[in-house]
Amino acid sequence: MEDLVKFVQDEFVSKKDFPEFSAGDTITVYYEIKEGEKTRTQFFRGVVIQRRGSGASETFTIRKMSGTVGVERIFPINMPALQKIEVNKKGKVRRARIFYFRGLRGKKARIKEVRS
């Protein structure tokens, strides 16, 4: 049964070309918002907390600070409204899911940048 689901996902779900990114990277996600008849593009820039799942059901979580409030958003990789993803900074972290990042404040909330 799992093979059948994987086959259908590979055949019928369209793949978009997004750059490689992982936990700790700072990325900007551009996505389309429909308000009545109009559509506009909005962006969400923050640090990737995690990537989970595989294939068509893969998602990633981004966290940003809006004033003093932390805002997290979960994006499916195959969301039709996703237009593009830009990697602003590559971060160096030792874990795949950096949930500890939620509890950090000030200078402790910085992530070392990988120079390439």
Side-chain angles (χ1 to χ4, degrees):
M1 186 66 181
E2 291 176 18
D3 295 334
L4 182 63
V5 171
K6 187 171 177 5
F7 173 75
V8 170
Q9 285 179 353
D10 292 342
E11 289 294 316
F12 298 108
V13 176
S14 62
K15 298 256 191 238
K16 295 183 179 179
D17 263 351
F18 292 128
E20 282 295 317
F21 62 92
S22 60
D25 295 350
T26 302
I27 65 172
T28 306
V29 178
Y30 294 87
Y31 57 99
E32 206 170 76
I33 292 183
K34 291 181 181 161
E35 294 174 333
E37 301 281 319
K38 300 178 191 171
T39 62
R40 65 183 177 89
T41 301
Q42 185 169 323
F43 67 90
F44 192 92
R45 182 174 188 210
V47 178
V48 178
I49 297 291
Q50 71 170 340
R51 282 184 78 157
R52 76 171 346 160
S54 63
S57 62
E58 184 177 357
T59 62
F60 60 96
T61 305
I62 301 180
R63 179 180 177 84
K64 75 172 185 177
M65 294 302 292
S66 180
T68 59
V69 179
V71 179
E72 288 187 13
R73 175 125 193 213
I74 300 171
F75 291 98
I77 260 306
N78 287 323
M79 186 166 81
L82 273 187
Q83 292 178 340
K84 68 177 178 176
I85 297 175
E86 288 178 355
V87 178
N88 304 106
K89 287 194 290 189
K90 295 291 272 181
K92 180 178 182 272
V93 293
R94 293 183 178 185
R95 299 183 185 276
R97 296 187 176 161
I98 54 173
F99 296 131
Y100 66 88
F101 192 67
R102 293 172 177 156
L104 302 180
R105 302 281 178 263
K107 288 186 178 181
K108 290 185 177 185
R110 290 186 296 188
I111 294 177
K112 284 187 179 175
E113 187 176 352
V114 175
R115 303 271 178 187
S116 55

